[in-house]
Amino acid sequence: MRKRSAVAGGCLWGLLVVLAAPGAFAQDSQEPEAPRVIPPLHTFYRVGVAARVNPSGLFTNLTFQVRYRLYESESPALKDNFVSVGPVVFASPALLRGGIGVEFQPLSVLQLSASYEGIYWFGNFNYLQSFPSPNADASDRRLAELGGAGGTSYASSGTVLTLAALLQLKVGPIVVRSNPRFFSFNLKLRDGDRVFYEPVTDVVIPNGGWATSNDADLLYLAGRLTVGLRYSTTGSFFRPQDYPAGETDTGLNPTIHRVGPFLAYTFYDKPDRLFNAPTLVLISQWFLRHRYRTGAEVSQAMPWIALAFQFKGIP
């Protein structure tokens, strides 16, 4: 627990350092320059840093792309279009992922993406933990017991394939969006183990199988401030081969459901900037359904909370 608290505290300190950086959000004191003309073929990047509690975590992701604008349009529903490809990196104190990602956005309201990454678990912070059955206990308490001194956490490696879509619709100041994602992990697990606990999604995942998550938002745009509601679901698709002989799915791993407020503040948004759209995001959700976090181990009154800082730009 002390290690996890230190991780969350380190993230918050990092966010404060970024926000305090000289000129990070300074407004131009001189006359505004003409917007830079962005050619059809250009580079693009985005960065995000997030701290989370219940469960605790610290995550950083980086995407760098070569983008090609498919066509010119002034219509809000069509003008944000592109196809892109480039490296993606996802890191936390417990694991490192990296590989190649592709995004296809034929119109402003729809984006399709895929990535294929190598992944390495360092064997610290009680991870990686794997089990012979999805019915095994993978609670925070049990993971801490298994990952203690002389425990069973271990370093490992493998790959992960991610398929995702982003659907978004804006009517006046109201935005509705949905971001479904599908994950398939192939890891080198301990002999006899078929599933593992994945801390980013907070679910037990079948090795070689699939897990899914979705974030659905109903938002109101009030200038630089965005407020609204987020409803999230996460779950795994277990197969007969994921259970040892004599065991079946007993419903111990239900689909996770969370709901709660979404709050974001964007300091400015000028698409031609190298450092653009610096945004603070705060999300607080309560579990409606979870194997351990609705009273079995953690009180349902304890929310899932995430604080993030993100930005993007065109070099």
Side-chain angles (χ1 to χ4, degrees):
M1 291 301 293
R2 289 182 179 176
K3 289 184 178 180
R4 293 188 176 186
S5 297
V7 168
C11 178
L12 293 176
W13 173 251
L15 291 177
L16 292 174
V17 170
V18 171
L19 293 176
F25 307 123
Q27 299 296 318
D28 295 333
S29 59
Q30 302 176 352
E31 293 184 5
E33 299 178 359
R36 179 163 51 123
V37 176
I38 303 172
L41 183 65
H42 59 276
T43 55
F44 172 87
Y45 79 92
R46 60 175 171 262
V47 177
V49 180
R52 183 191 68 187
V53 295
N54 196 26
S56 300
L58 169 63
F59 311 105
T60 301
N61 63 77
L62 167 66
T63 299
F64 185 86
Q65 302 175 336
V66 176
R67 279 187 173 184
Y68 180 73
R69 187 165 56 248
L70 299 172
Y71 55 88
E72 296 285 350
S73 176
E74 294 302 318
S75 168
L78 302 174
K79 67 178 182 178
D80 293 329
N81 61 84
F82 60 85
V83 61
S84 64
V85 61
V88 294
V89 177
F90 181 95
S92 85
L95 63 93
L96 177 66
R97 285 171 21 191
I100 192 76
V102 178
E103 295 181 2
F104 174 57
Q105 185 162 307
L107 60 165
S108 303
V109 299
L110 174 64
Q111 180 185 119
L112 304 174
S113 63
S115 65
Y116 187 72
E117 302 166 81
I119 181 171
Y120 183 78
W121 299 78
F122 303 123
N124 56 6
F125 294 97
N126 303 328
Y127 311 120
L128 176 70
Q129 291 290 353
S130 58
F131 307 94
S133 168
N135 295 327
D137 184 357
S139 64
D140 291 347
R141 173 193 51 78
R142 184 57 178 159
L143 292 174
E145 292 174 353
L146 294 174
T152 59
S153 57
Y154 60 100
S156 187
S157 62
T159 61
V160 54
L161 171 66
T162 304
L163 306 176
L166 176 62
L167 300 91
Q168 50 191 352
L169 178 65
K170 181 176 181 291
V171 180
I174 304 298
V175 174
V176 178
R177 65 187 182 190
S178 180
N179 184 201
R181 298 172 296 277
F182 294 86
F183 313 94
S184 180
F185 288 83
N186 280 277
L187 304 181
K188 298 175 183 177
L189 298 185
R190 188 170 42 215
D191 289 346
D193 287 351
R194 300 171 174 84
V195 301
F196 67 98
Y197 174 76
E198 206 287 308
V200 181
T201 55
D202 188 32
V203 293
V204 171
I205 293 180
N207 197 35
W210 288 90
T212 183
S213 68
N214 183 59
D215 294 318
D217 298 320
L218 177 61
L219 307 173
Y220 178 80
L221 306 182
R224 298 179 180 182
L225 183 66
T226 300
V227 296
L229 192 69
R230 169 164 289 187
Y231 178 67
S232 302
T233 60
T234 311
S236 294
F237 301 101
F238 294 112
R239 308 156 297 180
Q241 60 265 39
D242 298 323
Y243 296 87
E247 284 194 31
T248 59
D249 186 355
T250 57
L252 288 176
N253 293 285
T255 298
I256 297 172
H257 294 262
R258 304 189 312 262
V259 65
F262 178 103
L263 179 66
Y265 184 82
T266 301
F267 292 85
Y268 62 80
D269 190 359
K270 299 181 179 181
D272 63 320
R273 291 280 188 95
L274 171 63
F275 180 77
N276 184 44
T279 303
L280 278 174
V281 180
L282 177 64
I283 308 170
S284 179
Q285 296 176 296
W286 281 263
F287 288 96
L288 305 179
R289 195 179 188 194
H290 193 287
R291 181 174 177 179
Y292 309 107
R293 306 189 194 281
T294 54
E297 181 178 284
V298 180
S299 171
Q300 193 169 15
M302 176 62 182
W304 178 100
I305 301 174
L307 175 65
F309 176 69
Q310 58 193 34
F311 57 93
K312 58 185 177 181
I314 297 178

